[in-house]
């Protein structure tokens, strides 16, 4: 009797209490192998490419199609969902509208009030685009690495001799050799086993190790791990027809080709699996559970997130109202108070934008306060004494001037050089490590510098700038580059020496090692302990029998 994909899936999904009987009804492992046209001793013919191709076409390829990646526009939309980005976008639009409709330019001068709002919108576009491109590259690299990781070598028997083939080349009918630590690559029937025990918690949630044998539990499920013993497996279901494949398709919200249900530790599937070529009866659409079970850790993290959000909102409101009250008192109160004008709407909008501030950790506080203090001293000195120090006419109460253009230019380059400091978030001393390997960062930095040159040299009245000479450019660059040594000094300051309460968030330290490596070491340690316990018990039994013999 020939077996089709649907037959094999139903066979694998047979409840545990009827599994042995189901296999026996087909003639045992030997009968199933005969139906699949394979010899248990020799395995498949590795040189018969036509037979391998036929099996792959009939039963499927041992590959689970990954979820479709997000497009660049979808990633941009996801980046735009950030609350701060949304608020800035709305604020920018309002600023543009107010600049074009409310604020009136001086006679003979063009209306430049809309530039601030347009700059905010441009910044939002740049941030969302850069975030999306960065996420797209990371996702692409992750998929490439994951593909390499998944393409592991599987130990099989072909032509009667041990061999290794790619996991993706595994076909129904292959004989797989399973050993300690192996991840089962497909669903199959076990035979020639020796004390074989598997961890099926990833598939069924069962935490205890399950013994596998043709007379107890004959089926091995893909994705489970061999914790003890060795054995062989006759492959029955591969790829999207395997239990791991069925679950993956359901998680991705796609219907499986066979209509099968995922494995259940408590009983048989609730829906019949049709054979290949049969029409499946449409079932009722699945209803998503409204009550999602949340782990205690996730619950605490959600509470922490809500607390951080509330603190951030409270901080933003305090800053906003403080700025509004101060400005209102200084502008409208007292005998010199000015009458209300719609032009002041832009000021209040600016206060609202300033109020959007993030919560920070101690390390962030250290760098933000340190750099802000340094930049404040530099910019105030240049603003009030720059004309004397730099030997240029004062820009106070004048139009575009070299004096204030240099202040603006220095401010921008202080930020650009401080971005280099921000490349390392754990106080690493070498901020230039991997600098030239990050082409995206270099491209963005060059673009920022180029835009600054265009604004200063050609911005003119709209940006209130005057062109600078090469010497003046070098002065601005030199002062801006001072952010690098200041950053080095700040990194040398230990956060433990800082006062408590300076940061609202704990600093995240870099983790070392690999999670997978840790799991592997843990499994090996558990196996060693179990082996030692068995040795001790065997030794005790031997000593007990010896003592009993001596007493008799």
């Amino acid at each position: 009797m020939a077996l089709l994909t649907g037959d094999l899936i139903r066979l694998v999904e047979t409840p545990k209490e009827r599994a042995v009987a189901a296999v026996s009804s087909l003639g045992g492992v030997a009968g199933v192998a005969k139906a699949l046209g394979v010899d248990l001793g020799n395995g498949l013919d590795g040189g018969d490419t036509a037979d391998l191709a036929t099996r792959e076409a009939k039963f499927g390829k041992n590959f689970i199609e990954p979820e479709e990646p997000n497009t660049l526009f979808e990633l941009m939309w996801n980046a735009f969902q950030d609350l701060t980005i949304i608020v800035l976008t709305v604020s920018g639009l309002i600023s543009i509208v107010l600049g074009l409709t409310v604020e009136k330019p001086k006679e003979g001068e063009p209306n430049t009030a809309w530039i601030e709002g347009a700059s905010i919108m441009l910044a939002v576009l740049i941030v969302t685009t850069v975030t999306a491109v960065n996420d797209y590259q990371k996702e692409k690299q992750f998929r490439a690495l994951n593909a390499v990781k998944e393409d592991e070598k599987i130990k099989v028997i072909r032509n009667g001799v041990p061999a290794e083939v790619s996991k993706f080349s595994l076909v129904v009918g292959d004989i797989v050799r399973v050993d300690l630590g192996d991840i089962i690559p497909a669903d199959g029937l076990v035979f020639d086993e020796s004390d074989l025990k598997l961890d099926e918690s990833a598939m069924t949630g069962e935490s205890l190790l399950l013994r596998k044998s043709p007379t107890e539990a004959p089926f091995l499920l893909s994705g489970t791990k061999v914790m003890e013993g060795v054995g062989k497996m006759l492959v029955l279901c591969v790829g999207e027809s395997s239990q791991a494949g069925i679950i993956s398709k359901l998680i991705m919200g796609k219907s499986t080709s066979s209509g099968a249900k995922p494995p259940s530790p408590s009983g048989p599937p609730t829906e019949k699996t049709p054979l290949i070529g049969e029409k499946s009866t449409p079932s009722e659409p699945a209803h998503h559970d409204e009550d999602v079970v949340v782990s205690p850790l996730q619950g605490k993290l959600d509470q922490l997130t809500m607390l951080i959000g509330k603190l951030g909102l409270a901080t933003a409101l305090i800053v906003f109202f403080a700025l509004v009250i101060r400005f209102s008192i200084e502008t409208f109160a007292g005998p010199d108070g000015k009458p209300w004008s719609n032009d002041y709407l832009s000021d209040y909008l600016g206060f609202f934008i300033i109020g959007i501030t993030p919560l920070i950790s101690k390390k962030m506080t250290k760098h933000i306060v340190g750099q802000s203090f340094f930049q404040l001293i530099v910019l105030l000195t240049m603003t009030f004494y720059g004309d004397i120090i730099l030997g240029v006419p004062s820009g106070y109460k004048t139009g575009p001037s070299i004096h204030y253009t240099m202040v603006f230019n220095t401010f921008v380059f202080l930020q650009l050089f401080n971005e280099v400091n921000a490349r390392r978030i754990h106080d690493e001393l070498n901020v230039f490590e991997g600098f030239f390997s990050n082409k995206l960062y270099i491209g963005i930095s060059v673009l920022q510098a180029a835009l600054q040159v265009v604004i200063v040299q050609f911005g003119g009245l709209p940006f209130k700038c005057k062109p600078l000479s090469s010497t003046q450019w070098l002065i601005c660059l030199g002062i801006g580059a001072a952010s690098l040594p200041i950053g080095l000094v700040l990194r040398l300051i230990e956060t433990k020496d800082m006062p408590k309460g300076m940061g609202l968030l704990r600093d995240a330290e870099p983790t070392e090692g690999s999670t997978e490596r840790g799991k592997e070491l843990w499994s090996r340690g558990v196996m060693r302990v179990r082996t030692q316990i068995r040795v001790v018990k065997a030794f005790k039994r031997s000593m007990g029998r010896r003592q009993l013999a001596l007493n008799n």
Side-chain angles (χ1 to χ4, degrees), residues 213-278:
S213 70
T215 58
E216 295 182 34
F219 297 116
L220 304 185
L221 301 181
S222 54
T224 58
K225 186 172 184 178
V226 179
M227 303 301 292
E228 294 183 22
V230 295
K232 296 178 182 178
M233 179 185 74
L234 171 63
V235 176
L236 299 182
C237 300
V238 296
E240 296 181 358
S241 298
S242 67
Q243 298 303 293
I246 293 172
I247 291 177
S248 297
K249 300 293 283 186
L250 291 175
I251 290 175
M252 290 187 289
K254 301 177 181 178
S255 60
T256 59
S257 59
S258 61
K261 292 285 186 179
S264 171
S266 59
T270 58
E271 180 177 299
K272 179 183 176 182
T273 304
L275 298 178
I276 297 297
E278 291 183 352

Side-chain angles (χ1 to χ4, degrees), residues 180-345:
L180 174 65
D182 288 347
I183 303 295
I184 303 300
D187 298 343
L189 273 174
V190 64
F191 67 100
D192 285 355
E193 91 295 341
S194 176
D195 195 25
L196 185 63
K197 293 182 181 180
L198 268 67
D199 177 9
E200 292 189 347
S201 58
M203 294 294 295
T204 64
E206 177 61 59
S207 59
L208 299 177
L209 297 185
L210 300 180
R211 182 183 296 275
K212 296 292 182 177
S213 70
T215 58
E216 295 182 34
F219 297 116
L220 304 185
L221 301 181
S222 54
T224 58
K225 186 172 184 178
V226 179
M227 303 301 292
E228 294 183 22
V230 295
K232 296 178 182 178
M233 179 185 74
L234 171 63
V235 176
L236 299 182
C237 300
V238 296
E240 296 181 358
S241 298
S242 67
Q243 298 303 293
I246 293 172
I247 291 177
S248 297
K249 300 293 283 186
L250 291 175
I251 290 175
M252 290 187 289
K254 301 177 181 178
S255 60
T256 59
S257 59
S258 61
K261 292 285 186 179
S264 171
S266 59
T270 58
E271 180 177 299
K272 179 183 176 182
T273 304
L275 298 178
I276 297 297
E278 291 183 352
K279 293 184 178 180
S280 59
T281 304
S283 58
E284 295 182 0
H287 297 281
H288 297 284
D289 293 333
E290 295 181 359
D291 298 328
V292 180
V293 179
V294 179
S295 65
L297 176 60
Q298 185 62 44
K300 291 182 179 180
L301 291 176
D302 291 341
Q303 293 177 2
L304 178 60
T305 303
M306 293 296 296
L307 176 61
I308 292 174
K310 292 178 181 178
L311 289 175
L313 178 61
T315 304
L317 291 175
I318 291 173
V319 172
F320 171 69
F321 284 115
L323 292 173
V324 167
I325 293 172
R326 178 181 176 182
F327 177 79
S328 300
I329 293 175
E330 292 179 350
T331 305
F332 305 114
D336 298 330
K338 300 178 182 179
W340 169 258
S341 172
N342 290 336
D343 294 342
Y344 293 120
L345 290 175

Side-chain angles (χ1 to χ4, degrees), residues 491-509:
R491 286 192 293 276
L492 294 175
I493 300 176
E494 295 287 344
T495 54
K496 63 182 180 181
D497 299 329
M498 297 171 59
K500 293 183 178 180
M502 283 195 67
L504 295 178
L505 298 177
R506 292 184 62 185
D507 294 304
E509 299 297 337

